[in-house]
Amino acid sequence: MPDEIDLARRGLFRGRLRTAEPPVQLPWSVNWSAFVADCTRCGECLAACPEQILVIGEGGFPVVDFQRGECTFCTECVTVCKAPLFRPTTESPWHYKAHIEANCLANGQVFCQRCQDSCEPNAIRFIPVLGRVPTPTVEPDRCNGCGACVQDCPVGSIKVDGRAAPSGGASQPTLKQES
């Protein structure tokens, strides 16, 4: 019995004929359908990533895992790849933005500002509110989607991906995605 499972074949048996798009692709990568069509799954990008945030995702394709750390936009994954999988690095690496979900400690009146401390572009700020602990807000124009805040959140309430930020009242901190 082989040590590796062909995830693409398993998907076929489950009725999925194509690999699902991950929440976060590699920086500067082309659209997902073009990426999976040309990616050889050689693993060179995984080995080249100095932050070690690239992992093998569904179907054996490389994806970003912010639980392992942040993207420094070093371009190593782009440089090492021999396939036409990336846009020019002079363009924006991606349009992902962070958003904070309802289980943020500030919503439970617990003081925590770790995400602000880890946010180098200062996109996450805490706004004082009379009678409550400060709640986080994100300036989408400053957020580069690096993911530094994701690993630092003790309750996992920060996500970086391409989906729209949840809408909510003043008690629920949110980060809006750039259009």
Side-chain angles (χ1 to χ4, degrees), residues 165-174 176:
S167 59
S171 64
Q172 179 178 338
T174 61
K176 294 184 180 175

Side-chain angles (χ1 to χ4, degrees), residues 22 42 64 67 69 89 114 149 153 172:
C42 67
V64 175
Q67 291 300 325
T89 57
R114 289 180 64 178
C149 55
C153 180
Q172 179 178 338

Side-chain angles (χ1 to χ4, degrees), residues 26-31 78 84-96:
L26 278 60
W28 294 285
S29 60
V30 296
N31 70 54
V78 177
L85 302 178
F86 296 95
R87 298 176 286 108
T89 57
T90 54
E91 296 178 12
S92 175
W94 52 38
H95 295 288
Y96 299 128

Side-chain angles (χ1 to χ4, degrees), residues 15-178:
R16 286 194 320 244
L17 299 178
R18 55 187 193 117
T19 305
E21 185 172 344
V24 181
Q25 290 181 235
L26 278 60
W28 294 285
S29 60
V30 296
N31 70 54
W32 187 245
S33 59
F35 189 90
V36 297
D38 292 333
C39 179
T40 63
R41 298 176 270 196
C42 67
E44 289 185 27
C45 58
L46 280 71
C49 179
E51 304 304 324
Q52 297 298 295
I53 63 167
L54 303 183
V55 297
I56 298 172
E58 185 179 325
F61 297 103
V63 297
V64 175
D65 180 2
F66 287 130
Q67 291 300 325
R68 300 173 62 109
E70 69 181 286
C71 183
T72 59
F73 307 109
C74 67
T75 72
E76 291 296 321
C77 57
V78 177
T79 305
V80 73
C81 186
K82 294 170 183 59
L85 302 178
F86 296 95
R87 298 176 286 108
T89 57
T90 54
E91 296 178 12
S92 175
W94 52 38
H95 295 288
Y96 299 128
K97 300 292 177 183
H99 57 92
I100 301 174
E101 298 187 343
N103 65 331
C104 174
L105 289 174
N107 283 338
Q109 294 302 296
V110 176
F111 184 85
C112 175
Q113 295 187 354
R114 289 180 64 178
C115 57
Q116 175 181 269
D117 296 341
S118 64
C119 183
E120 192 172 311
N122 295 318
I124 301 175
R125 297 176 187 250
F126 280 76
I127 308 299
V129 177
L130 189 60
R132 296 183 48 88
V133 299
T135 56
T137 60
V138 175
E139 295 181 33
D141 292 341
R142 288 180 158 231
C143 181
N144 63 10
C146 71
C149 55
V150 173
Q151 184 185 30
D152 224 18
C153 180
V155 294
S157 69
I158 302 176
K159 306 290 183 224
V160 174
D161 56 32
R163 66 185 167 148
S167 59
S171 64
Q172 179 178 338
T174 61
L175 300 176
K176 294 184 180 175
Q177 180 184 356
E178 183 179 52

